[in-house]
């Protein structure tokens, strides 16, 4: 039995229909933007392994820093104790986060970073004896898979089985181009109707919802409206953080900075799980009291794991280096040329770029959705051509590690062009413009 068959006997994979999915590709080694299977075949990781990898696989500098940490201190509980990695990382993050951010709270992944932000926002009001509990979020949002994160996410197939268990959230339309006023009107109405505790959003790009992009000025307006009504704002930067959108954080493009920021995915350069929720001094202060019931009662066994912190500090060293910043710009420039060429393609709708993220929709008779059946043939085509993409239904996107070479990037682009040509053959599902 090979590795994939042994896997299939005992393992249940995430977001995978185990009855119909192909056997998983077994990866035994990674280097730069490449992942290698047992036969030594290299696949270009054009989506950074679910958006986590920044500097390439098995990066020697991160590996060295993590292994040094592993020989020094692998873990210590984080209540009543601290360690150099956590302190260094908090200082380093606050130096690049928006200036209103003052405190760092650690957890383990993106969903928990969101849970923490929601709980902080709700308890912020509770601790002051103010009965504000409603959360506002965007339709089509994705904030993670735990119950609180699912509640804030747009309601759809992922959340349907749990509908009765999700807390009440007012969903408004995201402010897409030409629809900004509707979104603003809906926010105004929601604020009038309910005692709103917080507004949570993915800044500038709704990731899992289909790489849906919108502009900073309208988000600024929405944040400003919330602030003028004393509503806390939460930027879920789990996907957009650490250079993905061209700046360190998507919030860097905002005038009105969010009160809470959720980080994960790229934080360790894709090495290991870590979540961070940062907040303002005002939020932190609302939990200070001689009354111990005002404590923030939240924590995970592996909070601020020293290995994860070491990986994160090493990843920041690399990210802040001018070479990495130049790479981010280089990728965006190449993406822009690629997207410009795609503009004329009869199967391509709404090509778009923000920083290192490029995306487009493929024309289809079915609606644009995660379940669009074009997904499987596009995924399979690219895997056969040794390029790892993972379309969100008929939405194709690229989000490569920053170290991807020009040669690799052009191999990805040419594979996408030839994939589109191959789709023209199967016109039963494709609408020609
Ligand atoms: C991936 C993602 C999450 C969830 O992070 P996990 O680490 O997968 O739990 C939350 N919010 C956004 C915007 C994400 O893209």
């Amino acid at each position: 039995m090979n590795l994939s068959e042994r896997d299939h006997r005992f393992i249940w994979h995430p977001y995978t229909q185990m009855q119909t999915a192909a056997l998983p590709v077994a990866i035994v080694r990674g280097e730069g933007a490449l992942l290698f299977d047992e036969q030594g075949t290299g696949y270009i990781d054009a989506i950074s392994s679910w958006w986590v990898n920044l500097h390439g696989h098995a990066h020697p500098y991160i590996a060295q820093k993590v292994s040094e940490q592993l020989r020094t201190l692998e873990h210590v509980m984080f209540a009543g104790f601290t360690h150099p990695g956590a302190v260094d990382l908090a200082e380093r993050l606050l130096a690049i986060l928006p200036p209103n951010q003052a405190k760092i709270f650690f957890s383990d992944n993106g969903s928990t970073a969101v849970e923490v932000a929601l709980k902080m926002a709700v308890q912020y009001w509770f601790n002051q004896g103010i009965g504000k509990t409603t959360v506002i979020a965007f339709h089509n949002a994705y904030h993670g898979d735990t119950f609180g994160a699912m509640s804030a996410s747009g309601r759809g197939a992922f959340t349907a089985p749990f509908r009765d268990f999700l807390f009440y959230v007012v969903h408004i339309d995201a402010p897409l181009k030409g629809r900004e006023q509707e979104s603003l009107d809906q926010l105004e109405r929601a604020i009038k109707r309910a005692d709103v505790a917080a507004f949570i959003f993915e800044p500038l790009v709704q990731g899992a919802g289909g790489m849906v992009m919108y502009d900073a000025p309208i988000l600024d307006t929405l944040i400003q409206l919330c602030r003028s009504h004393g509503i806390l704002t939460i930027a879920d930067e789990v996907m957009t953080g650490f250079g993905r959108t061209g700046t360190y954080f998507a919030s860097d493009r905002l005038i009105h900075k969010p009160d809470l920021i959720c980080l994960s995915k790229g934080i360790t350069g894709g090495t290991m799980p870590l979540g961070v929720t940062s907040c303002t001094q005002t939020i932190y202060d609302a939990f200070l009291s001689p009354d111990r019931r005002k404590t923030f009662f939240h924590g995970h066994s592996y909070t601020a794991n020293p290995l994860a912190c070491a990986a994160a500090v090493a990843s920041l060293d690399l990210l802040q280096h001018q070479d990495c910043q130049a790479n981010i710009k280089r990728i965006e420039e190449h993406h822009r040329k690629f997207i410009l060429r795609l503009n004329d393609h009869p199967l391509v709708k709404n090509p778009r770029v923000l920083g290192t993220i490029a995306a487009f929709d493929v024309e289809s008779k079915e609606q644009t959705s995660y379940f669009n059946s074009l997904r499987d043939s596009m995924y399979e085509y690219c895997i056969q051509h040794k390029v790892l993409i993972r379309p969100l239904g008929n939405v194709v996107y690229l989000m490569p590690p920053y170290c991807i070479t020009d040669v690799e990037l052009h191999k990805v682009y040419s594979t996408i062009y030839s994939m589109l040509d191959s789709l023209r053959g199967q016109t039963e599902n494709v609408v020609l413009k």
Side-chain angles (χ1 to χ4, degrees):
M1 252 193 284
N2 67 24
L3 209 52
S4 305
E5 289 158 353
R6 280 168 56 206
D7 169 290
H8 193 65
R9 286 177 66 199
F10 297 122
I11 297 180
W12 189 348
H13 285 265
Y15 279 93
T16 302
Q17 174 44 257
M18 298 303 293
Q19 179 163 308
T20 51
L23 284 181
V25 181
I27 297 298
V28 294
R29 188 172 76 80
E31 188 179 341
L34 295 176
L35 293 165
F36 294 92
D37 67 14
E38 284 177 293
Q39 284 74 45
T41 305
Y43 297 81
I44 302 176
D45 184 356
I47 55 163
S48 299
S49 282
W50 254 355
W51 322 347
V52 300
N53 192 288
L54 301 189
H55 312 295
H57 291 282
H59 194 286
Y61 179 72
I62 299 178
Q64 181 202 328
K65 292 293 179 183
V66 173
S67 86
E68 282 168 14
Q69 182 63 50
L70 189 53
R71 286 160 204 282
T72 316
L73 174 70
E74 84 303 345
H75 189 65
V76 59
M77 63 182 292
F78 208 60
F81 292 87
T82 192
H83 57 84
V87 178
D88 285 349
L89 180 55
E91 287 173 354
R92 293 283 296 271
L93 286 173
L94 289 171
I96 57 169
L97 278 164
N100 68 338
Q101 298 299 297
K103 297 286 176 191
I104 297 292
F105 191 95
F106 291 103
S107 63
D108 305 329
N109 58 70
S111 302
T112 57
V114 168
E115 295 286 339
V116 165
L118 291 168
K119 286 175 73 174
M120 277 181 182
V122 169
Q123 193 178 341
Y124 170 83
W125 298 113
F126 177 88
N127 279 1
Q128 300 173 75
I130 299 170
K132 293 205 208 188
T133 53
T134 303
V135 171
I136 297 178
F138 286 140
H139 287 297
N140 192 44
Y142 178 76
H143 294 294
D145 293 340
T146 51
F147 275 87
M150 276 198 294
S151 300
S153 297
R155 300 298 152 90
F158 299 173
T159 59
F162 315 106
R163 201 181 58 192
D164 295 347
F165 301 90
L166 303 180
F167 62 71
Y168 176 68
V169 168
V170 177
H171 287 98
I172 63 171
D173 288 332
L176 310 189
K177 216 169 212 45
R179 308 274 319 279
E180 290 93 343
Q181 191 60 45
E182 272 110 309
S183 185
L184 185 59
D185 292 346
Q186 289 173 23
L187 182 61
E188 265 170 357
R189 261 178 275 140
I191 290 173
K192 278 202 195 104
R193 274 206 309 262
D195 287 321
V196 180
F199 167 45
I200 183 168
F201 50 86
E202 294 160 273
L204 309 189
V205 192
Q206 294 191 296
M211 297 297 155
V212 177
M213 297 179 185
Y214 63 94
D215 292 337
I218 179 62
L219 181 56
D220 250 321
T221 306
L222 300 176
I223 293 174
Q224 191 182 19
L225 181 65
C226 286
R227 187 141 303 151
S228 68
H229 286 83
I231 294 164
L232 297 178
T233 51
I234 305 170
D236 177 355
E237 295 234 24
V238 169
M239 188 273 279
T240 51
F242 303 101
R244 280 298 174 206
T245 66
T247 49
Y248 282 136
F249 303 102
S251 299
D252 294 349
R253 295 183 200 261
L254 299 171
I255 299 161
H256 301 280
K257 304 301 186 188
D259 299 295
L260 297 124
I261 298 179
C262 309
L263 302 171
S264 186
K265 291 206 167 111
I267 192 169
T268 61
T271 309
M272 48 217 302
L274 181 66
V276 156
T277 307
S278 69
C279 71
T280 60
Q281 188 69 38
T282 311
I283 292 174
Y284 177 78
D285 286 347
F287 292 74
L288 302 179
S289 168
D291 180 354
R292 290 186 49 197
R293 281 169 299 188
K294 294 195 175 173
T295 305
F296 189 53
F297 292 111
H298 187 108
H300 300 280
S301 314
Y302 283 98
T303 295
N305 173 255
L307 301 172
C309 290
V313 171
S315 175
L316 278 179
D317 288 345
L318 297 171
L319 180 71
Q320 292 184 276
H321 195 281
Q322 61 194 36
D323 290 354
C324 184
Q325 292 301 308
N327 277 336
I328 290 172
K329 289 206 183 68
R330 173 180 60 91
I331 293 168
E332 172 156 10
E333 280 161 22
H334 284 303
H335 275 354
R336 289 206 180 275
K337 284 184 215 145
F338 166 62
I339 284 301
L340 210 63
R341 265 186 75 186
L342 280 181
N343 236 332
D344 302 327
H345 197 287
L347 296 183
V348 171
K349 232 175 16 179
N350 192 18
R352 50 201 184 270
V353 180
L354 185 64
T356 64
I357 308 168
F360 60 90
D361 304 355
V362 177
E363 293 276 0
S364 167
K365 280 192 190 132
E366 297 167 46
Q367 64 185 149
T368 291
S369 111
Y370 185 81
F371 295 100
N372 190 293
S373 61
L374 281 177
R375 185 257 172 215
D376 288 350
S377 47
M378 296 195 291
Y379 176 81
E380 285 303 330
Y381 182 93
C382 288
I383 282 288
Q384 271 163 26
H385 290 78
K386 315 303 173 213
V387 172
L388 168 55
I389 62 166
R390 203 180 145 87
L392 297 156
N394 59 320
V395 177
V396 175
Y397 69 91
L398 303 175
M399 197 190 295
Y402 306 150
C403 66
I404 192 168
T405 64
D406 285 357
V407 171
E408 288 162 344
L409 207 45
H410 285 103
K411 155 101 195 216
V412 172
Y413 296 152
S414 64
T415 305
I416 301 276
Y417 293 129
S418 60
M419 174 197 82
L420 287 169
D421 287 342
S422 83
L423 289 181
R424 281 206 243 198
Q426 355 170 327
T427 38
E428 74 279 2
N429 191 26
V430 174
V431 184
L432 291 168
K433 266 198 265 196

